[in-house]
Amino acid sequence: MKEYQTQDIRNISLIGGAKTGKTTLAECMLFEGGKVTRRGSIDDKNTVSDYREIELERQNSVYSSVLYTEHNSKKINIIDTPGFDDFVGEVISSLHVTDTAVMVVNAQNGVEVGTEIAWRNAEKSDTPIIFAVNHLEHENSNWDETVAQLKQHFGGSLTPVQYPVNAGVGFDSIIDLISMKMYKFPQDGGNPEITDIPDGEKDKAEELNAAMIEDLAAADEALMEKYFEEGSLSDEDIKNGLKLGLISRGFFPILCVNAKQNMGVGRVLDFIANYVPSPDEMPAVKTLSGKELKCDASDPTIAFVFKTTIESHLGEVSFFKIYGGEISESMDLINGNNATKERISQIFAFNGKNRDKMDKAFAGDIVATIKLKNTRTDHTLNSPKTSDEKLPPIEFPDPKFRTAIKAQNQADDEKLGTALNEIHRMDPTVITGYYKELKQMILQGQGELHLNIVKWHLENQYKIPVEFLTPKIPYRETITKSSQANYLHKKQSGGAGQFGQVYMIIEPYEEGMPEPSKYKLKQTMSMSSVNPLSIQKGDNEIAVSVRGKDEITLEWGGKLFFYNCIVGGSIDARFLPAILKGIMERMEEGPLTGSYARDIRVCVYDGKMHPVDSNEVSFKLAGKTAFSMAFKEAAPKILEPVYDLEVIVPEDKMGNVMTDLQGRRAIIMGMEGGSIKAKVPLAEMGRYSTALSSLTSGRATYNMKFAEYAPVPSDIQEKLLKEYEESKKEDD
Ligand SMILES: Nc1nc2c(ncn2[C@@H]2O[C@H](COP(=O)(O)OP(=O)(O)OP(=O)(O)O)[C@@H](O)[C@H]2O)c(=O)[nH]1
Ligand SMILES: [Mg+2]
């Protein structure tokens, strides 16, 4: 295959709402560049980009596809991303490595929630955007309205650089405001006839051309000066201005297409080849150590893996962008993340299901290799000269949909774990973990559809039948006031005896609280394994002095402070670890519902030993039971995970979404510009993506992130306590 130098490379992502025509447009781009000889279509299930079994079955993109075409001697790398929000991870990883995005908009629908989400993602990665308004031949298409909506949503710096002459049925002509020519396409698309602008369109074209030039000038100070001085801009200035405007995100051009009939696509490719910045024209990227990379082919080699897939007959394929130097076959590189050596056996330019072998690739290019041993998505490969550089990782979104998952046959458990790990490697937004406290394997992702696709893969590719179950909520337990208890564990029948008595005070832990000194307790509790419960009522003041403390940061969040305040050696120091162990066992299986306990301060201040019978087991049991008793008297509370939720919703559906949220115990934190922010308990968020979708006909989206643990309302606490009692009875 031909070699392409950095200046001859363009990297674009196709992004936008679901079903706007990204894959169809990609197919046209490949056809125009001679990479396919026949244009496939979604309906005929024969596009190069949507080739995976699941994509053919569903007739939409599920994964991003790395493709390339050639136009005006430029290699245009295209990453066709899926539009459904469930697959947003693919969009984010693509935007991480491409220099420009082409946002496809369906002229029948104008700005959709998917358009807004894609805009936000491109904004986060600072990616320039070209808008391609598609479906222009459709009877319901509306160019003017679509442009108006685009400007209204994303600002005045969105400017048509073309317009359709006859949008709607029979659409076949566009006027290009850069070349100031008309392009008339044959019925089946392809090469247009280029003519002068007809008289009837001249005024409109001149007016829009002037508006375009004004917007271009506004995006760059030097151009603005020139524009004021000369009243216009030269062709060269326009060309430079377009590039500068794109890079600075000060100018967002709008173009016309009909991907179904391949009209306007050649002109989009012209635009990409002529005005889209090459990788070395984009701002430098910094490694984690602060080294700036300008995609310079004379630098030492450095490349970043942004995507990993498994392809039949090839095995694992790693897609990467070269940020410096060049890569050739048989090159040895060092993985900067784990210091292992990798040999580049082969280099490919992929085209979805097809691929071309390359001997060499230069800085800026996006290519793939196979059979890397220890390299995963997010890893950096370095020349041995700069072996430990790392590029910043991709910021994948937090999961927002969860389910419990189980293999239908227990014998598949191990296989399921391995398969889920592999799926996570291919799609980092699929996250799984076994939760010991819940006794469930929890599968998390971006939505119900996303997880159903994981299920499909497990069943169809890995041949592991699985079941989805309602996921349990990881509750926590804590206390809200201090209490005291003591427990005597004693066993003296035959053989070696057991004896240990522990007195403790427990209290809620809060950051910054003073060291324990004096406690005023209303009530003391005392119990032993031989005597029945005895409670002494009345005021009781206890002064303690601290001899030692353990601060334990709990694996499940929160803290446990364990203070040794024992006076006069009533318990040997050697038994304290056993007492702590007993307390930790209870913390791991909280006294209320068996959930993890957190944020507690324990002060062991007295006890009793037996010269012969005291041992670690006795003190562990005494500590554990005294802790349970004190816990139950300390106004214990069940805590639930609460999430920060942001719902992005069209104005007319706001009311529905708010009412629904109130029914989910949400606290509304704010509403602004089509977004609702709230705090919502996880327990109320089961299947939210599906509910939201039906409330808004799929026009809303949301994201959520764990915020804090908060006490559950008392009726829910009662319910949970009862459920736990019942489940314990069942276990007995
Ligand atoms: N009428 C018309 N239909 C189009 C046009 N472009 C694409 N389509 C149709 O729209 C549907 C969706 O097209 P895709 O190319 O799969 O859209 P996509 O944006 O890749 O979809 P996702 O990847 O699922 O988000 C298909 O049935 C296409 O044939 C167009 O210009 N006009
Ligand atoms: Mg697609």
Side-chain angles (χ1 to χ4, degrees):
M1 196 183 131
K2 206 172 131 181
E3 285 180 4
Y4 294 90
Q5 305 294 325
T6 309
Q7 310 80 267
D8 296 330
I9 294 167
R10 304 286 179 271
N11 295 316
I12 61 157
S13 287
L14 296 180
I15 61 172
K19 302 251 171 202
T20 47
K22 300 175 290 298
T23 300
T24 310
L25 177 62
E27 191 76 10
C28 293
M29 289 175 159
L30 265 47
F31 178 75
E32 287 289 306
K35 298 295 157 204
V36 292
T37 47
R38 245 188 97 226
R39 273 191 306 122
S41 78
I42 297 294
D43 310 294
D44 296 338
K45 306 189 178 197
N46 58 355
T47 62
V48 166
S49 179
D50 282 6
Y51 64 95
R52 304 159 187 99
E53 210 182 322
I54 181 76
E55 292 177 323
L56 298 177
E57 193 174 307
R58 295 186 40 86
Q59 298 206 13
N60 66 250
S61 307
V62 172
Y63 298 100
S64 61
S65 288
V66 180
L67 315 161
Y68 84 99
T69 190
E70 200 191 86
H71 192 80
N72 294 354
S73 306
K74 307 282 184 291
K75 181 184 185 221
I76 302 179
N77 293 314
I78 303 159
I79 309 185
D80 174 26
T81 70
F84 281 101
D85 199 19
D86 286 54
F87 314 125
V88 65
E90 301 285 301
V91 179
I92 289 171
S93 60
S94 306
L95 288 171
H96 196 85
V97 291
T98 47
D99 304 309
T100 303
V102 174
M103 172 91 82
V104 183
V105 181
N106 181 338
Q108 298 178 61
N109 305 337
V111 172
E112 301 174 65
V113 169
T115 321
E116 287 187 67
I117 298 171
W119 169 271
R120 283 178 183 223
N121 286 326
E123 200 168 37
K124 268 190 217 149
S125 56
D126 250 339
T127 307
I129 303 177
I130 297 168
F131 286 83
V133 175
N134 191 25
H135 288 247
L136 282 173
E137 92 304 347
H138 200 276
E139 57 179 336
N140 296 332
S141 74
N142 190 333
W143 163 264
D144 290 333
E145 176 60 22
T146 301
V147 169
Q149 284 186 13
L150 285 170
K151 280 175 170 285
Q152 185 203 339
H153 278 82
F154 309 124
S157 46
L158 270 70
T159 306
V161 296
Q162 299 176 339
Y163 73 88
V165 176
N166 53 349
V169 179
F171 166 74
D172 67 352
S173 303
I174 60 172
I175 285 178
D176 190 284
L177 301 168
I178 302 170
S179 63
M180 287 303 267
K181 293 276 179 205
M182 183 163 94
Y183 294 71
K184 189 173 161 61
F185 301 94
Q187 230 175 13
D188 53 352
N191 282 340
E193 180 195 343
I194 305 173
T195 62
D196 286 336
I197 297 174
D199 288 345
E201 291 294 332
K202 269 198 176 131
D203 289 350
K204 183 175 177 185
E206 302 227 320
E207 192 186 314
L208 288 172
N209 169 273
M212 176 192 84
I213 291 176
E214 204 166 305
D215 286 347
L216 259 185
D220 184 86
E221 236 172 80
L223 272 190
M224 188 51 125
E225 262 173 43
K226 216 164 179 182
Y227 178 66
F228 267 130
E229 272 166 28
E230 294 166 21
S232 186
L233 292 177
S234 67
D235 287 353
E236 197 55 30
D237 287 338
I238 292 179
K239 186 172 171 175
N240 289 337
L242 283 166
K243 198 171 267 188
L244 289 173
L246 277 170
I247 297 174
S248 66
R249 299 185 96 248
F251 183 83
F252 298 88
I254 309 177
L255 286 85
C256 314
V257 274
N258 162 9
K260 191 162 191 159
Q261 288 162 319
N262 189 23
M263 293 185 185
V265 179
R267 209 45 208 148
V268 173
L269 288 172
D270 279 344
F271 194 90
I272 293 170
N274 295 339
Y275 310 120
V276 158
S278 56
D280 55 341
E281 288 171 319
M282 291 299 287
V285 171
K286 270 195 192 154
T287 64
L288 294 184
S289 73
K291 189 172 166 191
E292 293 208 340
L293 301 173
K294 279 285 303 172
C295 280
D296 186 338
S298 60
D299 276 351
T301 301
I302 181 162
F304 177 79
V305 177
F306 67 96
K307 178 181 170 73
T308 312
T309 63
I310 292 180
E311 301 290 330
S312 47
H313 313 302
L314 283 182
E316 201 163 304
V317 181
S318 311
F319 290 88
F320 56 89
K321 178 174 181 182
I322 307 169
Y323 281 91
E326 54 184 62
I327 288 187
S328 48
E329 258 186 28
S330 311
M331 197 169 190
D332 285 329
L333 294 173
I334 309 288
N335 180 321
N337 298 75
N338 56 25
T340 59
K341 196 164 107 179
E342 295 280 11
R343 168 149 296 190
I344 304 293
S345 58
Q346 284 174 303
I347 312 167
F348 296 106
F350 262 72
N351 242 338
K353 61 184 163 194
N354 309 324
R355 63 192 172 274
D356 296 317
K357 216 164 123 5
M358 300 172 82
D359 297 327
K360 209 179 213 183
F362 295 91
D365 212 347
I366 292 177
V367 294
T369 190
I370 53 171
K371 299 198 171 67
L372 294 182
K373 293 188 300 262
N374 297 306
T375 300
R376 312 274 174 259
T377 296
D378 268 345
H379 285 184
T380 302
L381 293 172
N382 288 277
S383 133
K385 284 184 223 155
T386 52
S387 57
D388 57 356
E389 291 292 348
K390 289 184 270 295
L391 278 150
I394 302 164
E395 285 176 31
F396 286 107
D398 294 307
K400 58 187 198 188
F401 199 90
R402 59 199 280 280
T403 180
I405 182 171
K406 190 172 134 226
Q408 277 180 18
N409 314 317
Q410 220 176 351
D412 282 341
D413 274 356
E414 206 181 309
K415 243 169 77 187
L416 175 63
T418 313
L420 285 170
N421 271 339
E422 193 168 285
I423 291 175
H424 169 73
R425 283 222 314 275
M426 306 301 128
D427 178 356
T429 59
V430 175
I431 294 168
T432 38
Y434 181 77
Y435 284 65
K436 212 167 78 185
E437 50 180 319
L438 309 179
K439 300 186 182 65
Q440 282 185 325
M441 172 87 92
I442 302 286
L443 172 64
Q444 300 189 80
Q446 291 298 311
E448 193 160 19
L449 169 62
H450 191 204
L451 298 192
N452 281 335
I453 283 180
V454 172
K455 188 173 187 202
W456 185 94
H457 278 115
L458 289 169
E459 300 193 328
N460 290 280
Q461 289 183 326
Y462 295 91
K463 308 284 178 219
I464 308 172
V466 293
E467 219 178 306
F468 281 173
L469 308 163
T470 310
K472 291 188 194 146
I473 303 295
Y475 291 108
R476 298 285 182 262
E477 299 179 11
T478 196
I479 53 172
T480 57
K481 61 174 210 189
S482 53
S483 81
Q484 183 271 359
N486 83 69
Y487 184 79
L488 166 64
H489 175 75
K490 190 164 143 187
K491 213 165 157 192
Q492 273 163 329
S493 51
Q498 293 185 349
F499 188 102
Q501 186 168 25
V502 175
Y503 285 71
M504 69 172 70
I505 294 166
I506 69 170
E507 60 191 323
Y509 163 72
E510 278 161 36
E511 215 170 273
M513 67 197 291
E515 295 287 281
S517 60
K518 209 177 261 178
Y519 291 101
K520 206 166 183 171
L521 296 157
K522 272 266 174 267
Q523 160 182 308
T524 64
M525 266 195 88
S526 149
M527 199 174 162
S528 87
S529 52
V530 283
N531 291 327
L533 176 75
S534 69
I535 299 174
Q536 303 154 18
K537 297 229 161 166
D539 275 354
N540 184 14
E541 197 170 280
I542 299 169
V544 296
S545 57
V546 176
R547 292 171 189 271
K549 77 170 171 182
D550 281 317
E551 174 181 343
I552 298 155
T553 301
L554 301 164
E555 264 170 51
W556 51 87
K559 294 210 164 169
L560 169 70
F561 276 81
F562 180 74
Y563 281 90
N564 168 8
C565 302
I566 290 177
V567 276
S570 55
I571 304 175
D572 266 3
R574 67 194 164 104
F575 292 129
L576 283 166
I579 298 173
L580 174 59
K581 204 165 164 202
I583 294 170
M584 276 304 283
E585 277 183 11
R586 253 286 148 268
M587 294 278 295
E588 267 184 43
E589 207 177 331
L592 298 183
T593 59
S595 309
Y596 289 128
R598 58 178 283 168
D599 298 327
I600 295 169
R601 191 155 91 165
V602 179
C603 175
V604 174
Y605 66 94
D606 204 356
K608 227 180 244 162
M609 291 183 296
H610 183 276
V612 182
D613 293 343
S614 279
N615 57 16
E616 283 174 6
V617 173
S618 315
F619 276 101
K620 192 179 97 178
L621 283 170
K624 188 171 176 177
T625 314
F627 180 73
S628 276
M629 288 160 57
F631 195 97
K632 287 184 177 155
E633 293 303 314
K637 275 267 165 215
I638 298 173
L639 306 175
E640 62 179 344
V642 173
Y643 278 67
D644 280 325
L645 172 76
E646 182 181 17
V647 189
I648 295 143
V649 52
E651 220 52 59
D652 58 319
K653 298 286 178 190
M654 272 234 165
N656 295 9
V657 172
M658 289 285 279
T659 313
D660 174 75
L661 280 177
Q662 271 143 10
R664 294 175 188 269
R665 298 194 279 125
I667 299 169
I668 307 294
M669 308 301 287
M671 282 168 69
E672 118 181 39
S675 124
I676 304 174
K677 289 196 169 130
K679 284 201 186 298
V680 194
L682 178 64
E684 302 289 340
M685 290 301 284
R687 303 174 66 85
Y688 187 63
S689 70
T690 312
L692 182 67
S693 177
S694 72
L695 268 177
T696 61
S697 322
R699 289 170 58 218
T701 181
Y702 71 104
N703 53 63
M704 58 194 264
K705 197 177 172 62
F706 171 76
E708 68 214 355
Y709 268 97
V712 300
S714 52
D715 55 328
I716 293 182
Q717 173 142 337
E718 284 305 312
K719 193 178 126 234
L720 292 169
L721 289 174
K722 225 179 252 161
E723 277 172 14
Y724 184 62
E725 284 303 314
E726 295 292 317
S727 75
K728 277 218 318 212
K729 267 188 223 151
E730 275 167 29
D731 288 351
D732 290 344

